Amino acid sequence: MGILDKIAEIEREIARTQKNKATEYHLGLLKAKLAKYRAQLLEPSKSAGAKGEGFDVMKSGDARVALIGFPSVGKSTFLSLMTSTASEAASYEFTTLTCIPGVIEYKGANIQLLDLPGIIEGAAQGKGRGRQVIAVARTADVVIMMLDATKGEVQRDLLEKELESVGIRLNRSKPNIYFKPKKGGGLSYNSTVPLTHCSEKLVQLILHEYKIFNAEVLFREDSTPDEFIDVIVGNRVYMPCLYVYNKVDQISIEEVDRLARRPYSVVISCGMKLNLDYLLETLWEHLALICIYTKKRGERPDFGDAIIMRRGASVEHVCHRIHRTLASQFKYALVWGTSTKYSPQRVGLTHIMEHEDVIQIVKK
């Protein structure tokens, strides 16, 4: 019996089992087994086959965005519209067969946009180059899920299921669970909140499935068994995702309104170039990037060349970005902008910068 058959059998068993208090241990065990088999499926095969053409593209720019979607939903058209790269677009499926990169220039930042081949059902098992597509998506900062507005919710559910099965968690934060395997001493189990989904027995059963008998577990939030399994496996990627509904010019205005009101959703039309500017704005918010301008003493700020940083970056991060030795020679900095109480404010290395702040660094 192959791994795929075992996965299918466990999924059938989970679907058959009623969810109640009596079966929660059984379901927890099944979920742990399922996660284990899926991890085996993603491991590269030991026998080295003939080397094929490389698929991933070198990371460049300030952020990376991956375009994921079924064939013929408008990914290549979107890439050609947003960047100066021309990706072949045609009315038949699988026009794009490899990963095509482009660069969006927005607010002084270079955002790398990757046009990936269309995903089909069963991509996580390796169908239609699905595994390579998903591997590239794991390295992105934000995933844009391109969906055909005329097809309803089917595509979204299928894609979410495919990404979920390879350990990509969309628009979710990492579970607040402390987990540390130990050499001995058995299981130390504790929680700071009342738990409704997990119990000590269930945690023990799941850990035994992974052959872990000595560990320290502390729940700081009411997590589900699935989230606990994610923490044990430890290779999950938590990333923001934008659901982009294309071809909205072919559906009714009521349907457009319904889709646009859904969380993390944007409606566009690549054919008629509708709402693309709003999509860029939303993408910028999801990427959590900020622009910081530098200023020399006695001169006006240089607004032509911004330093692009992540939200929450400190003055120390800015120093490292300018030059690696600057932080060691740092005396103080003067900052103008929304992060200060008054302008200019004299700050130290730990001061957190905000969007469009101006900084002047004084060395020792």
Side-chain angles (χ1 to χ4, degrees):
M1 197 185 213
I3 293 177
L4 284 175
D5 301 328
K6 286 178 181 173
I7 287 174
E9 193 174 305
I10 291 172
E11 281 176 341
R12 281 198 296 275
E13 176 76 14
I14 289 174
R16 273 202 306 268
T17 310
Q18 281 184 329
K19 287 182 178 64
N20 57 37
K21 200 77 184 152
T23 59
E24 64 177 21
Y25 300 127
H26 179 56
L27 280 171
L29 258 175
L30 287 176
K31 283 173 179 172
K33 277 183 179 161
L34 191 61
K36 215 163 122 188
Y37 286 137
R38 278 183 176 155
Q40 283 175 19
L41 194 66
L42 290 175
E43 282 169 13
S45 57
K46 297 283 182 285
S47 58
K51 278 200 171 175
E53 182 191 340
F55 193 81
D56 198 2
V57 175
M58 199 173 123
K59 214 166 183 174
S60 71
D62 301 298
R64 188 178 218 186
V65 177
L67 276 174
I68 279 188
F70 279 92
S72 276
V73 290
K75 296 187 296 296
S76 300
T77 316
F78 177 73
L79 181 87
S80 306
L81 276 176
M82 297 306 240
T83 68
S84 52
T85 312
S87 180
E88 192 185 334
S91 55
Y92 54 86
E93 298 192 342
F94 295 107
T95 319
T96 308
L97 294 171
T98 184
C99 177
I100 296 169
V103 175
I104 303 174
E105 288 176 12
Y106 186 69
K107 290 190 180 176
N110 289 334
I111 301 165
Q112 188 182 34
L113 189 64
L114 301 179
D115 178 20
L116 298 171
I119 283 185
I120 52 172
E121 206 177 337
Q125 280 84 49
K127 283 187 190 171
R129 292 200 98 172
R131 230 181 267 180
Q132 290 110 309
V133 171
I134 290 168
V136 175
R138 281 175 79 99
T139 65
D141 298 306
V142 169
V143 167
I144 288 185
M145 199 183 276
M146 286 292 266
L147 304 161
D148 192 334
T150 58
K151 300 266 172 75
E153 297 304 311
V154 189
Q155 290 190 344
R156 178 169 171 167
D157 297 340
L158 282 171
L159 280 172
E160 278 179 344
K161 194 175 148 205
E162 291 296 332
L163 295 178
E164 191 87 8
S165 65
V166 293
I168 295 176
R169 305 286 177 258
L170 302 175
N171 296 325
R172 293 216 304 250
S173 56
K174 205 172 176 188
N176 196 355
I177 301 170
Y178 173 76
F179 169 72
K180 189 182 179 187
K182 295 188 297 187
K183 290 277 190 289
L187 175 68
S188 155
Y189 168 87
N190 226 320
S191 65
T192 57
V193 290
L195 299 180
T196 56
H197 305 290
C198 285
S199 64
E200 187 168 358
K201 188 183 169 191
L202 180 58
V203 166
Q204 208 166 1
L205 277 170
I206 291 171
L207 287 172
H208 283 192
E209 183 60 41
Y210 283 93
K211 296 187 171 54
I212 298 169
F213 302 99
N214 307 297
E216 213 173 310
V217 178
L218 172 64
F219 282 81
R220 295 197 186 98
E221 63 180 20
D222 188 12
S223 301
T224 60
D226 291 325
E227 288 173 330
F228 179 58
I229 291 166
D230 285 351
V231 171
I232 299 171
V233 177
N235 63 351
R236 304 300 189 228
V237 180
Y238 298 86
M239 57 168 64
C241 171
L242 261 181
Y243 301 102
V244 177
Y245 292 92
N246 188 19
K247 306 181 185 177
V248 291
D249 49 304
Q250 298 174 19
I251 56 173
S252 66
I253 194 75
E254 291 81 21
E255 182 69 3
V256 173
D257 190 52
R258 189 185 69 80
L259 292 174
R261 286 177 193 280
R262 297 197 61 176
Y264 313 109
S265 299
V266 180
V267 291
I268 63 162
S269 168
C270 288
M272 295 178 75
K273 299 182 183 173
L274 299 174
N275 214 22
L276 296 175
D277 48 351
Y278 175 69
L279 172 57
L280 266 182
E281 228 169 278
T282 318
L283 181 61
W284 178 266
E285 284 298 312
H286 275 66
L287 284 168
L289 296 175
I290 56 171
C291 299
I292 292 160
Y293 302 105
T294 53
K295 176 187 178 306
K296 286 183 181 169
R297 193 171 173 178
E299 291 182 24
R300 292 182 70 80
D302 179 13
F303 290 120
D305 191 16
I307 298 171
I308 308 295
M309 305 291 292
R310 296 273 146 163
R311 200 176 293 153
S314 65
V315 173
E316 190 173 2
H317 292 121
V318 178
C319 290
H320 284 303
R321 177 62 72 86
I322 296 168
H323 198 273
R324 62 177 186 273
T325 60
L326 190 56
S328 57
Q329 301 169 354
F330 178 89
K331 190 177 180 186
Y332 66 88
L334 294 172
V335 175
W336 291 257
T338 52
S339 67
T340 57
K341 291 191 179 86
Y342 46 86
S343 292
Q345 184 177 330
R346 184 171 163 161
V347 297
L349 282 172
T350 54
H351 178 76
I352 303 297
M353 304 294 285
E354 284 182 13
H355 185 46
E356 293 186 336
D357 276 1
V358 175
I359 186 168
Q360 177 186 323
I361 295 168
V362 179
K363 295 201 286 190
K364 284 173 186 166

